[in-house]
Amino acid sequence: MASLPTCSAAELTPLLSITANATAAADYICNRFTAISDKFTTTTYAIDNTYLLFSAYLVFAMQLGFAMLCAGSVRAKNTMNIMLTNVLDAAAGGLSYYIFGFAFAFGGPSNGFIGKHYFGLKSIPSAVYDYSFFLYQWAFAIAAAGITSGSIAERTQFVAYLIYSSFLTGRSSHLLY
């Protein structure tokens, strides 16, 4: 975001020199300008977060589509297993993304390949990232696991897939960006 212009009473006073109380007028104008600027900043932050959260909910709703697609591609006896797999994709993926996935993807480069900050969301919220950004990125990370779940339906053991999904969500998040 571009920095907002600042107001200085010292710069404004010469422009208002034709008024009787130029310094007080300059202070008043600058105070009003700063108050309005703060409101714009707060409003922009609220709109940005609302948009980000709405987008995260839409991406998370893709999990329902993946679940229906997977359920339609397996035999009837395995439908409940597929539904449970998709639910646990989100749960296990959320845990692994919380512990190390976000840090790998956004933790600042330690060696140019993988991040080393924000493990377990330490120091979040910060000036750069907050929880809505985490939720948005987590939704995409579990979508990556949801896409692959259909291709291995009925071909793997449940525990093996859960481990794979946790690893994929936690590690591949870095490769998605």
Side-chain angles (χ1 to χ4, degrees):
M1 186 171 126
S3 62
L4 296 172
T6 58
C7 183
S8 168
E11 292 175 359
L12 234 111
T13 302
L15 299 173
L16 299 172
S17 61
I18 56 173
T19 61
N21 202 354
T23 305
D27 284 337
Y28 176 78
I29 291 170
C30 283
N31 287 339
R32 295 298 299 159
F33 180 78
T34 302
I36 291 170
S37 176
D38 290 343
K39 286 183 182 179
F40 278 139
T41 303
T42 304
T43 304
T44 301
Y45 180 76
I47 290 171
D48 287 349
N49 274 331
T50 301
Y51 179 76
L52 197 61
L53 288 172
F54 182 70
S55 299
Y57 301 147
L58 288 176
V59 172
F60 185 74
M62 288 176 10
Q63 287 294 103
L64 299 172
F66 295 141
M68 295 299 118
L69 178 67
C70 293
S73 67
V74 299
R75 293 175 285 180
K77 70 176 190 169
N78 292 326
T79 302
M80 285 303 278
N81 187 26
I82 290 297
M83 294 298 174
L84 183 62
T85 299
N86 279 291
V87 168
L88 290 180
D89 266 346
L95 188 60
S96 66
Y97 194 70
Y98 168 79
I99 293 171
F100 55 87
F102 188 81
F104 285 170
F106 298 102
S110 60
N111 61 6
F113 178 67
I114 196 166
K116 66 177 182 178
H117 303 291
Y118 305 128
F119 286 97
L121 294 186
K122 185 178 180 185
S123 303
I124 300 283
S126 67
V128 180
Y129 304 120
D130 59 0
Y131 296 117
S132 60
F133 183 75
F134 166 78
L135 182 69
Y136 182 70
Q137 298 301 332
W138 165 75
F140 274 107
I142 63 167
I147 290 168
T148 61
S149 69
S151 65
I152 59 174
E154 296 181 331
R155 293 175 182 87
T156 60
Q157 290 183 348
F158 184 72
V159 174
Y161 175 73
L162 194 59
I163 293 168
Y164 161 77
S165 174
S166 296
F167 178 75
L168 178 70
T169 305
R171 179 59 201 117
S172 72
S173 60
H174 176 68
L175 303 175
L176 293 172
Y177 312 105

